Amino acid sequence: KQKQKQKQKQKQKKMGLSATINKIGQSALMEKIARCFMIIISTMLVTLAMSILLFFSHIFFNFYLPLLSASSSSSSSTSIICIKKVLHTTIVCFLIWNIAFNYYKCVMTKHDGIEYNLVIRELAKVMGIDYPETKEEKMSWKLDYNRKIRSRMNQTATTTTKINPTTDVEESLSTTTTITTNGGSTNRRKNVTNNNHHHHSKEMNGSGNNGLDVNVNANSNETKKDPKSKPSKIYRWMLLGPQEWGYCNRSHQLKPPRSHYDDAVRCLVLNMDHFCPWMFNTIGYFNYRYFCNVLIYTFIGMVYGVCLTAPLFWCSFIDTTLLEQQIQMSQSRGYTEEQHLIPMIPTTDEHVYVILSFVFCLALSLAVCALMSFHIYLIFTAQTTVECHGNNTRKKRAKEEGKIWKNPYDLGWKLNWQQVYGSQHPLLAMLPSSRIPEYFPLPIDGKLHQRHQHNLVFKRDDREYTVVV
């Protein structure tokens, strides 16, 4: 009987291992498929973005400027037309250059490498953290970090009775914990599933980690919760303080504050905001300024396009009196085709350009305006898209507890702007520039700190790098 039991246990272990391997293989396959799909979609969107930019450039230089030149009916107005052409061309070229430059920098900026190592080591030195370099030091930091997160998770589960939080404890585990309180006794049931390779980063949580659901059911003496209300989500990074460092189980390195792991670029991203398929890159600390500039200059360009094409659209489709006069004048003068005889009135064959340019400019200006307004709000409030969702959860929890929650990174709109764009004048800061961010990814002790003010030495790939300022 003992031998049979041992054989059954061995069979169960083998079946469990095979099932685990199958799950890992399936999750890895799904991850590869999702990544390939993301690459295809992002490539298509980047191509579409460049095509839209080229389309509007073609409309301006091959349709609007010739139409502006054709409207000069006398020599006295030729000088005025030339001035208008130069002015419009300068403005359009300036907008195209700014959009193309910032778009290129946003796409090509990397979130790892030497520059990343310089930033986090300099930040660690300023914050008084002994950055671990060896495997033993990193493992010790990891164990301490996991213990700290588990203890804080338990505190959240035992002290919170009005909220069902979802907490990320480890990136390699998907744990479901149910805590039922009956007369002071606590029963726990955990369902642990190995999920090392099934890991997808999302804009909603930023870190791409699986969650740990904690359901707290109080007895009849406790206040009953509305079953229709959705449980609040608490992620692993939300259990840390604003100045606390964590540990990333995916990249096996220290995780600075406000950073999250992203599967799209497969590295830790400082001040991660979201993955943008239009940029084919993750938006974070090193390229957030470029991303915002793309939105701002695209919005200005679309509004400018609406202003240029709105009179043409009006004359072509709303009030067609001048268009009919131009057709009659062309016929009376013996032309076989309609000619530009009235200033800034397109011909019938050019109505397609008028419709496409006006409708596209109007639609894109509204869409980009909404996204731009949201990110300007994030800049002025010192938040990222990831932090915005987490901060809303914190505000709800604080409100239910009768407290007021305040963003610890918010230093006022002026300093928050400088956090992203630097200490230059706002207009100069928005001009095309390849400069690196001036300040650290987060304020330290309630103040902004400029970078490159400290000498530091770090090792990477068996080489020692020394940065002396």
Side-chain angles (χ1 to χ4, degrees):
K1 290 182 179 180
Q2 290 179 356
K3 289 181 179 179
Q4 289 179 356
K5 288 182 179 179
Q6 289 179 357
K7 288 182 180 180
Q8 289 179 357
K9 288 182 180 180
Q10 290 178 358
K11 287 182 180 180
Q12 290 177 358
K13 287 182 179 180
K14 289 181 179 179
M15 292 177 64
L17 288 173
S18 61
T20 302
I21 292 172
N22 290 332
K23 288 182 180 180
I24 291 173
Q26 292 176 0
S27 61
L29 179 61
M30 292 300 296
E31 185 176 354
K32 289 182 180 180
I33 294 174
R35 184 171 179 80
C36 292
F37 180 76
M38 179 192 64
I39 291 173
I40 294 172
I41 294 298
S42 298
T43 304
M44 293 173 59
L45 291 178
V46 170
T47 305
L48 179 61
M50 299 305 298
S51 300
I52 292 174
L53 183 61
L54 293 175
F55 169 75
F56 285 120
S57 302
H58 169 76
I59 290 294
F60 177 77
F61 289 104
N62 295 323
F63 167 65
Y64 187 82
L65 283 184
L67 185 64
L68 190 64
S69 301
S71 64
S72 57
S73 57
S74 61
S75 58
S76 60
S77 61
T78 303
S79 58
I80 299 177
I81 296 300
C82 290
I83 294 174
K84 287 183 178 181
K85 289 179 64 176
V86 171
L87 181 62
H88 285 305
T89 303
T90 303
I91 295 174
V92 170
C93 289
F94 175 78
L95 293 174
I96 291 175
W97 166 246
N98 276 276
I99 294 172
F101 174 83
N102 288 287
Y103 187 84
Y104 172 80
K105 296 295 292 185
C106 190
V107 172
M108 299 304 296
T109 299
K110 295 183 179 181
H111 297 279
D112 56 356
I114 299 297
E115 189 62 33
Y116 171 82
N117 284 279
L118 290 176
V119 173
I120 60 173
R121 282 164 174 80
E122 190 177 0
L123 178 63
K125 184 174 183 178
V126 172
M127 298 179 69
I129 294 176
D130 188 10
Y131 194 90
E133 300 290 349
T134 63
K135 292 183 179 180
E136 292 76 12
E137 293 175 347
K138 291 182 180 179
M139 183 57 66
S140 176
W141 186 284
K142 175 183 177 181
L143 294 175
D144 293 340
Y145 168 71
N146 286 334
R147 289 194 207 98
K148 177 170 58 177
I149 290 297
R150 285 191 179 278
S151 64
R152 294 184 183 181
M153 178 272 297
N154 292 330
Q155 292 176 1
T156 303
T158 54
T159 57
T160 306
T161 59
K162 296 183 179 181
I163 298 176
N164 296 337
T166 300
T167 309
D168 288 343
V169 177
E170 292 184 3
E171 295 164 63
S172 59
L173 295 179
S174 178
T175 309
T176 304
T177 303
T178 304
I179 301 176
T180 307
T181 305
N182 293 316
S185 63
T186 303
N187 300 323
R188 298 188 180 185
R189 176 176 55 83
K190 295 186 178 181
N191 179 18
V192 181
T193 304
N194 192 343
N195 196 20
N196 276 323
H197 297 279
H198 184 66
H199 181 85
H200 301 283
S201 77
K202 299 180 180 179
E203 295 180 7
M204 193 73 177
N205 55 26
S207 60
N209 302 328
N210 298 317
L212 185 144
D213 298 332
V214 182
N215 298 324
V216 181
N217 301 321
N219 55 10
S220 58
N221 296 329
E222 299 288 345
T223 303
K224 292 185 178 181
K225 186 180 174 182
D226 185 7
K228 295 183 180 180
S229 62
K230 295 182 179 180
S232 302
K233 293 184 178 179
I234 300 178
Y235 297 100
R236 184 188 60 175
W237 59 271
M238 296 173 63
L239 297 175
L240 297 175
Q243 307 288 330
E244 281 188 291
W245 288 55
Y247 185 85
C248 179
N249 291 322
R250 298 282 291 179
S251 59
H252 304 291
Q253 58 181 343
L254 260 67
K255 186 179 176 186
R258 308 188 75 182
S259 64
H260 301 278
Y261 184 88
D262 185 65
D263 275 331
V265 293
R266 296 182 178 180
C267 67
L268 273 176
V269 180
L270 293 172
N271 288 24
M272 176 179 168
D273 192 89
H274 68 286
F275 174 79
C276 181
W278 289 93
M279 303 295 175
F280 201 6
N281 198 358
T282 302
I283 309 303
Y285 173 69
F286 292 105
N287 62 350
Y288 189 59
R289 185 181 79 248
Y290 301 130
F291 175 75
C292 293
N293 282 343
V294 169
L295 296 179
I296 293 172
Y297 284 112
T298 301
F299 174 72
I300 295 174
M302 293 302 101
V303 172
Y304 188 74
V306 169
C307 295
L308 292 181
T309 56
L312 304 180
F313 184 82
W314 179 270
C315 295
S316 300
F317 299 98
I318 308 300
D319 186 4
T320 60
T321 304
L322 295 177
L323 179 62
E324 293 174 356
Q325 291 181 3
Q326 182 171 260
I327 295 174
Q328 293 177 359
M329 291 173 62
S330 299
Q331 293 176 353
S332 62
R333 294 185 183 183
Y335 293 107
T336 57
E337 296 180 356
E338 183 181 354
Q339 302 294 319
H340 291 286
L341 301 178
I342 300 179
M344 296 304 295
I345 299 298
T347 61
T348 306
D349 296 335
E350 296 172 340
H351 284 180
V352 177
Y353 295 104
V354 175
I355 294 176
L356 291 178
S357 57
F358 177 75
V359 172
F360 278 7
C361 287
L362 182 61
L364 289 177
S365 63
L366 295 176
V368 174
C369 178
L371 186 60
M372 179 192 66
S373 301
F374 174 68
H375 281 281
I376 290 178
Y377 163 76
L378 293 181
I379 291 176
F380 286 156
T381 56
Q383 298 181 97
T384 63
T385 301
V386 176
E387 293 171 349
C388 184
H389 295 287
N391 292 342
N392 290 335
T393 300
R394 289 168 171 168
K395 289 178 182 178
K396 291 179 181 178
R397 293 188 62 193
K399 186 177 181 181
E400 292 180 0
E401 296 174 359
K403 301 177 182 178
I404 298 176
W405 184 86
K406 184 180 179 181
N407 183 10
Y409 303 125
D410 190 359
L411 303 179
W413 67 271
K414 289 185 179 180
L415 294 178
N416 294 340
W417 172 272
Q418 293 180 4
Q419 177 82 35
V420 177
Y421 278 91
S423 57
Q424 294 181 338
H425 189 276
L427 296 179
L428 295 178
M430 292 175 60
L431 293 177
S433 174
S434 299
R435 69 185 185 278
I436 59 177
E438 182 178 349
Y439 294 99
F440 283 117
L442 71 155
I444 303 171
D445 298 329
K447 297 180 180 179
L448 292 180
H449 288 260
Q450 289 184 335
R451 292 180 52 204
H452 304 304
Q453 294 183 345
H454 305 273
N455 302 336
L456 56 103
V457 178
F458 70 93
K459 294 182 180 180
R460 184 168 180 253
D461 299 333
D462 297 331
R463 295 183 180 180
E464 188 174 277
Y465 294 87
T466 303
V467 180
V468 181
V469 180

